[in-house]
């Protein structure tokens, strides 16, 4: 019997008495693991060896798990401090015990919850009592941390599961292939197996010499495992943004651009947002420690200030609230892309615009929001506006209907709301295809005279700000914004997800 070099080496290194892993055979034959695996499957197809697969799980400590191993679990530190403060004899103030345990931040909540879960004592009405008979040495989770750090196996699945939930360990799995000689393989080895002269590719030398007629070519196993190669591709959210641009351009809109960091004047003041509005504090937007903007257009700045102080028109009253040029010149990260609309309407971005006009942008905005399933610190906003004579609410709703139909979203809901810069104003809602939840997907309205007059606009302007991520959630069925954008997005999702519309 003749076999190719790699197959012969693997066959001779395999044993009929015990299974040898691909790694062991690779070391013994001095072949790459991929070559050993390929040869093993080829030999299995000939019935000379059997290949089995098992799953090997490895466990390692996270940085937090390592810190707890060094300093002690927070609940252990809390218990020891409680005992030192006499909580085994009488109730002690929780703050006193926490201070003695030197715990802070998230560690406090972690210590308190696990202290109660493990039965180390009771916490009631801000006071702690400790069980004097609690045995910290019997804590399976602490023992498991020590064993993992020492490279020893842990048989307590409950302890591992709990450590996994607490994100103190990382579990990883890998497939281990083992090879064993079959009776047929033993028989062939005893009868004698020779190395076959095979080539794996046709070369120019073989063609010119004519040797290609006499050599034996190796068979290609098209079903063999191949190395997965992940090439670069466009992020699914960026692909969705490009699709949105295509739709809006097809509806006759022109794209606009502008600075991510801009003066408060363009971000808020030009939108008739009072300077004492709660949304203009550092709790909601990001201020930058850079020199203020010194090139605000004087006439527009004067007219915007007058609108804030006195209002617009005979019945206008303004806000009668403080307005300072120093605040207007301060540089922030834009909390919405409506600052781009203000720049264009004022004629600063592209010069004076005559109606009718349609503009849009799909750009990032930044807000100091609390991160949850529908909010991030940065997000993409689909900004758009139409300047024309005699616009109505029906024009606005019709535009949304036409836009969202391009993405298969037909059941839109509108809810009246309040914006300082639009009247009337609407919030848009769409139904999530998986959860059935009605999700807010944007805000819109007709720009108020108090905004348009200082910018020199003498006709109607309807405008909107829509959430790109929430549009993508509706299209793909994702239930969490963090599944499509941000640092927590799964890499496999980025490699496999395609833009859908």
């Amino acid at each position: 019997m003749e076999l190719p070099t790699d197959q012969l080496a693997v066959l001779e290194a395999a044993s009929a008495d015990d299974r040898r892993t691909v790694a062991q055979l690779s070391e013994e034959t001095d072949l790459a693991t991929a070559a050993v695996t390929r040869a093993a499957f080829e030999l299995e197809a000939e019935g000379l060896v059997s290949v089995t697969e098992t799953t090997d799980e490895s466990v390692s400590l996270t940085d937090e798990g390592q810190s707890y191993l060094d300093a002690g679990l927070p609940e252990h530190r809390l218990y020891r401090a409680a005992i030192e403060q006499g909580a085994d004899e009488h109730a002690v103030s929780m703050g006193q015990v926490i201070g003695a345990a030197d715990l802070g931040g998230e560690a406090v909540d972690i210590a308190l919850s696990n202290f109660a879960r493990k039965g180390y004592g009771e916490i009631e009405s801000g006071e702690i009592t400790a069980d004097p008979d609690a045995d910290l040495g019997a804590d399976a989770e602490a023992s498991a941390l020590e064993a993992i750090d020492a490279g020893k196996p842990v048989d307590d699945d409950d302890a591992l599961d709990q450590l996994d939930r607490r994100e103190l360990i990382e579990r990883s799995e890998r497939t281990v292939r083992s090879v064993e000689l079959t009776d047929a393989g033993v028989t062939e080895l005893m009868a004698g197996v020779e190395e076959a002269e095979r080539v794996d590719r046709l070369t120019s030398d073989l063609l010119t010499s004519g040797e290609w007629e006499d050599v034996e070519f190796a068979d290609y196993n098209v079903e063999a495992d191949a190395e997965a190669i992940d090439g670069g591709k466009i992020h699914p959210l960026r692909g969705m943004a490009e699709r949105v641009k295509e739709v809006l351009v097809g509806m006759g809109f022109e794209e606009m651009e502008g600075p991510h960091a801009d003066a408060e004047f363009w971000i808020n003041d030009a939108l008739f947002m009072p300077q004492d509005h709660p949304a203009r504090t550092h709790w909601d937007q990001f201020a930058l420690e850079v020199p203020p903007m010194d090139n605000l257009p004087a006439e527009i700045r004067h007219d915007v200030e007058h609108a804030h102080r006195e209002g617009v028109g005979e019945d206008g009253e303004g806000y009668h609230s403080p307005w300072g040029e120093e605040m207007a010149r301060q540089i922030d990260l834009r909390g919405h892309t409506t600052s781009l609309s203000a720049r264009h309407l004022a004629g600063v971005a592209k010069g004076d615009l005559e109606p009718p006009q349609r503009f849009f942008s799909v750009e990032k905005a930044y807000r100091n929001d609390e991160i949850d399933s529908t909010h991030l610190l940065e997000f993409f906003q689909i900004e758009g506006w139409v300047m024309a004579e005699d616009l109505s609410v029906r024009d606005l709703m019709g535009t949304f209907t036409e836009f969202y139909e391009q993405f298969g979203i037909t059941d839109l809901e509108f809810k009246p709301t309040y914006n300082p810069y639009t009247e009337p104003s609407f919030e848009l809602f769409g139904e999530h295809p998986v959860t059935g939840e009605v999700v807010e997907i944007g805000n819109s309205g007709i720009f108020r005279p108090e905004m348009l007059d200082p910018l020199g606009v003498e006709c109607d302007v309807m405008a909107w700000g829509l959430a790109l991520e929430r549009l993508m959630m509706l299209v793909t069925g994702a239930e969490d914004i963090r599944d499509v954008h941000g640092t927590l997005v799964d890499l496999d999702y980025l490699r496999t997800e395609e833009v859908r519309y």
Side-chain angles (χ1 to χ4, degrees):
M1 183 179 192
E2 291 186 350
L3 289 174
T5 303
D6 290 357
Q7 292 185 30
L8 179 58
V10 171
L11 186 68
E12 291 178 339
S15 170
D17 300 325
D18 65 284
R19 295 190 173 276
R20 296 185 178 176
T21 66
V22 167
Q24 291 172 324
L25 293 174
S26 173
E27 183 176 357
E28 186 170 340
T29 61
D30 201 26
L31 294 172
T33 55
V36 171
T37 302
R38 182 173 58 251
F41 281 129
E42 292 168 344
L43 290 170
E44 185 180 42
E46 297 292 332
L48 302 179
V49 302
S50 63
V51 180
T52 58
E53 296 183 351
T54 57
T55 300
D56 182 26
E57 181 182 77
S58 62
V59 183
S60 60
L61 299 183
T62 63
D63 291 341
E64 186 177 5
Q66 186 64 53
S67 68
Y68 288 171
L69 182 68
D70 298 336
L73 290 168
E75 60 268 27
H76 286 197
R77 294 165 59 186
L78 185 68
Y79 177 80
R80 293 190 181 99
I83 294 296
E84 292 174 0
Q85 300 299 313
D88 55 335
E89 298 178 355
H90 55 81
V92 179
S93 165
M94 186 168 64
Q96 178 181 339
V97 176
I98 291 173
D102 194 24
L103 294 169
E106 294 182 355
V108 174
D109 292 334
I110 294 171
L112 293 172
S113 62
N114 287 285
F115 179 90
R117 176 176 65 85
K118 294 181 178 180
Y120 292 161
E122 295 182 357
I123 302 171
E124 187 175 355
S125 301
E127 294 183 327
I128 294 179
T129 56
D131 181 359
D133 299 323
D135 183 6
L136 301 186
D139 190 332
E141 294 170 28
S143 300
L145 284 178
E146 295 174 357
I148 294 168
D149 184 60
K152 298 178 181 178
V154 177
D155 297 327
D156 192 334
D157 291 336
D158 291 338
L160 288 177
D161 290 342
Q162 188 62 45
L163 291 176
D164 194 9
R165 282 192 289 271
R166 296 179 66 175
E167 299 183 352
L168 302 184
I169 61 172
E170 287 183 347
R171 286 168 154 169
S172 59
E173 293 183 349
R174 65 186 183 95
T175 299
V176 178
R177 295 187 175 96
S178 301
V179 180
E180 185 177 17
L181 281 176
T182 63
D183 291 341
V186 173
T187 301
E188 292 294 341
L189 281 174
M190 292 179 64
V193 182
E194 297 181 359
E195 183 178 348
E197 294 186 7
R198 293 187 182 180
V199 295
D200 61 358
R201 69 198 65 194
L202 184 63
T203 65
S204 58
D205 290 340
L206 289 174
L207 287 171
T208 56
S209 66
E211 293 182 19
W212 65 271
E213 296 184 89
D214 301 320
V215 297
E216 182 180 356
F217 288 96
D219 295 329
Y220 283 95
N221 182 3
V222 296
E223 296 181 353
D225 291 340
E227 180 182 359
I229 299 176
D230 297 306
K233 61 174 294 188
I234 296 176
H235 191 292
L237 189 62
R238 171 56 64 185
M240 177 63 75
E242 294 303 318
R243 171 57 181 160
V244 168
K245 292 181 181 182
E246 291 176 5
V247 170
L248 289 171
V249 169
M251 293 172 62
F253 284 79
E254 180 180 346
E255 187 171 6
M256 58 183 177
E257 296 179 345
H260 289 244
D262 208 347
E264 280 260 18
F265 179 81
W266 294 115
I267 299 173
N268 292 310
D269 290 302
L271 272 62
F272 197 55
M273 179 87 74
Q275 290 195 343
D276 59 357
H277 194 285
R280 295 185 64 169
T281 68
H282 66 280
W283 295 110
D284 286 281
Q285 58 188 33
F286 298 103
L288 302 180
E289 292 185 0
V290 296
M293 182 173 288
D294 57 4
N295 60 343
L296 297 180
E299 182 177 351
I300 296 176
R301 187 211 60 76
H302 174 270
D303 291 344
V304 167
E305 178 182 357
H306 182 272
H308 279 251
R309 293 185 183 278
E310 308 295 336
V312 169
E314 295 181 0
D315 298 328
E317 294 187 3
Y319 289 120
H320 300 288
S321 61
W323 194 94
E325 188 173 339
E326 180 180 354
M327 183 174 184
R329 295 182 183 276
Q330 178 181 314
I331 307 297
D332 288 7
L333 288 177
R334 63 190 183 202
H336 46 214
T337 50
T338 316
S339 57
L340 307 184
S341 300
R343 282 176 165 271
H344 280 70
L345 289 169
V348 172
K350 297 193 67 172
D352 293 337
L353 300 174
E354 295 295 329
Q357 298 285 342
R358 295 184 180 92
F359 276 86
F360 81 95
S361 69
V362 185
E363 294 286 346
K364 272 191 177 181
Y366 310 86
R367 293 181 190 170
N368 194 13
D369 282 330
E370 182 176 348
I371 297 177
D372 58 26
S373 62
T374 56
H375 294 85
L376 290 175
L377 297 182
E378 58 179 11
F379 59 95
F380 283 91
Q381 182 167 313
I382 306 169
E383 177 83 10
W385 53 269
V386 176
M387 174 200 291
E389 300 290 347
D390 300 323
L391 291 174
S392 69
V393 170
R394 295 181 65 87
D395 295 314
L396 187 60
M397 290 182 174
T399 301
F400 292 139
T401 299
E402 180 179 352
F403 173 77
Y404 280 104
E405 280 181 350
Q406 302 296 317
F407 299 89
I409 301 170
T410 57
D411 296 327
L412 293 177
E413 295 184 14
F414 299 90
K415 172 186 172 185
T417 188
Y418 167 78
N419 295 317
Y421 40 89
T422 57
E423 179 60 36
S425 307
F426 306 92
E427 291 175 337
L428 281 76
F429 295 84
E431 183 176 323
H432 193 282
V434 175
T435 65
E437 179 184 4
V438 177
V439 181
E440 181 185 349
I441 55 178
N443 203 334
S444 65
I446 307 294
F447 278 144
R448 296 174 57 139
E450 288 88 347
M451 174 183 168
L452 296 179
D453 281 19
L455 302 182
V457 179
E458 298 179 354
C459 64
D460 296 330
V461 177
M462 65 183 192
W464 56 84
L466 313 176
L468 178 68
E469 289 85 349
R470 296 192 191 179
L471 170 60
M472 188 168 183
M473 289 171 69
L474 291 179
V475 172
T476 64
E479 298 183 36
D480 194 316
I481 193 173
R482 292 164 290 191
D483 292 336
V484 299
H485 183 208
T487 58
L488 300 180
V489 177
D490 183 68
L491 288 178
D492 287 337
Y493 168 81
L494 296 181
R495 291 170 178 146
T496 59
E497 179 67 12
E498 297 181 359
V499 176
R500 290 178 279 172
Y501 43 81

